[in-house]
């Protein structure tokens, strides 16, 4: 199977001039990374809280506006960090307790006025500008989840693969799995699944039908020796592992 979209590998890039990074963004997207750009720390906090990126790439030279770098990293980010103890990514196989950070700037730390050791707290790597995306990619890959540790969904072949075990599923259960995958890791209640199935997959159904279909799907997959793939959290449904989608 040829993988074309790995849902959870999300990189949030905070830079003063995000338009200048279009080429780098396309390069990372070609390597199966979802990338979003923002130009201030206030917007970055919103994205961290709602988009749940797996990696932050921060430009130390971003204009501070109402929020300084130190305030963002040390005071505000821990409150919305998806890896925090109560966060949605806390139970992660790569054992992160805090979102990894790559820090970039116009020169090495010793040449940056006012740059002191505490600024490197929480920072996995420091990268001086200018840099080639190809040189940055290995550092990004080192900090992101591995691509082959989750669930592979192949809607064209109508099958699910986990730990090398493949299992055929019919069209409607695949619609449910694909919908959960596209919203991973947030749990979806039955009513939300009904709405998303209608909007995204063109499937009209009911809450009771969704619950029945998911129960049957769980029994089928677990009965074939696969680990539990669909969990219930906060009265909603979610996949237990990060999903990889093949082309539809």
């Amino acid at each position: 199977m040829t993988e074309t979209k790995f849902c959870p590998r999300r990189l949030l890039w905070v830079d003063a001039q995000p338009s200048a990074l279009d080429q780098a963004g396309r390069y990372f997207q070609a390597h199966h990374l979802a990338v979003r750009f923002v130009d201030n720390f206030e917007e970055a906090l919103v994205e961290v809280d709602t988009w749940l990126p797996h990696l932050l790439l921060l430009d130390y030279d971003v204009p501070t506006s109402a929020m300084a770098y130190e305030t963002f990293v040390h005071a505000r980010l821990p409150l919305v960090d998806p890896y925090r103890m109560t966060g949605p990514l806390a139970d992660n196989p790569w054992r992160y307790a805090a979102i990894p950070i790559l820090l970039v700037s116009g020169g090495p730390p010793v040449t940056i006025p006012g740059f002191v050791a505490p600024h490197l707290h929480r920072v996995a790597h420091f990268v001086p500008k200018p840099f080639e995306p190809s040189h940055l990619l290995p550092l990004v890959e080192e900090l992101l989840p591995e691509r082959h540790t989750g669930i592979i969904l192949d809607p064209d072949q109508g099958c699910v693969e986990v730990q090398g075990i493949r299992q055929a599923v019919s069209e409607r259960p695949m619609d449910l799995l694909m919908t959960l995958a596209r919203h991973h890791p947030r749990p979806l209640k039955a009513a939300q699944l009904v709405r998303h199935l209608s909007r995204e997959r063109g499937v009209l159904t009911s809450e009771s039908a969704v619950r029945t279909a998911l129960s049957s799907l769980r029994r089928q997959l677990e009965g074939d020796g696969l680990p539990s793939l669909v969990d219930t959290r906060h009265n909603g449904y979610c996949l237990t592992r990060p999903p990889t989608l093949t082309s539809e």
Side-chain angles (χ1 to χ4, degrees):
M1 294 185 292
T2 301
E3 298 170 24
T4 59
K5 182 178 181 183
F6 189 80
C7 291
R9 289 157 51 89
R10 298 182 291 271
L11 167 62
L12 180 62
W13 201 326
V14 186
D15 190 273
Q17 296 180 310
S19 60
L21 299 171
D22 286 346
Q23 181 179 355
R26 289 193 296 270
Y27 180 84
F28 285 126
Q29 288 168 351
H31 286 78
H32 309 286
L33 303 178
V35 184
R36 289 189 183 180
F37 294 98
V38 296
D39 60 6
N40 62 81
F41 293 132
E42 292 85 351
E43 189 174 350
L45 284 173
V46 175
E47 292 287 350
V48 169
D49 190 34
T50 58
W51 193 49
L52 308 179
H54 291 87
L55 176 63
L56 284 176
L57 202 157
L58 302 181
D59 184 351
Y60 179 73
D61 302 314
V62 168
T64 59
S65 61
M67 187 181 303
Y69 169 90
E70 293 81 358
T71 302
F72 170 74
V73 171
H74 303 303
R76 299 291 301 279
L77 180 59
L79 300 178
V80 296
D81 194 320
Y83 293 109
R84 68 192 187 278
M85 185 177 298
T86 58
L89 299 181
D91 184 17
N92 63 87
W94 43 100
R95 300 184 182 279
Y96 287 156
I99 190 169
I101 296 174
L102 279 170
L103 184 64
V104 300
S105 186
V110 294
T111 68
I112 302 173
F115 194 99
V116 293
H119 292 168
L120 287 175
H121 176 60
R122 290 278 316 276
V123 173
H125 298 288
F126 177 86
V127 183
K129 291 181 178 180
F131 53 79
E132 290 293 330
S134 59
H135 296 160
L136 189 60
L137 181 62
L139 298 178
V140 170
E141 291 281 6
E142 177 184 328
L143 296 170
L144 284 170
E146 294 184 13
R147 295 171 53 204
H148 303 288
T149 58
I151 304 166
I152 299 176
L153 303 176
D154 188 345
D156 291 340
Q157 299 297 319
C159 68
V160 177
E161 180 176 333
V162 182
Q163 297 177 345
I165 301 175
R166 300 184 70 180
Q167 168 64 47
V169 296
S170 58
E171 183 178 0
R172 286 298 170 255
M174 180 62 75
D175 284 327
L176 283 167
L177 290 172
M178 294 288 287
T179 303
L180 291 172
R182 294 190 182 283
H183 294 271
H184 181 82
R186 294 196 179 279
L188 296 177
K189 296 182 178 180
Q192 294 173 308
L193 273 168
V194 169
R195 290 195 296 271
H196 288 303
L197 283 166
S198 175
R199 295 171 186 171
E200 300 166 13
R201 313 287 297 174
V203 175
L204 299 180
T205 185
S206 65
E207 293 182 38
S208 60
V210 162
R211 294 190 185 96
T212 299
L214 283 171
S215 295
S216 298
L217 178 63
R218 294 173 71 183
R219 287 196 299 270
Q220 173 195 345
L221 296 179
E222 293 171 15
D224 284 305
L226 294 178
S228 176
L229 302 185
V230 181
D231 195 9
T232 55
R233 298 179 186 174
H234 309 294
N235 298 318
Y237 299 91
C238 63
L239 297 178
T240 59
R241 299 176 178 218
T244 300
L245 309 186
T246 64
S247 57
E248 296 187 65

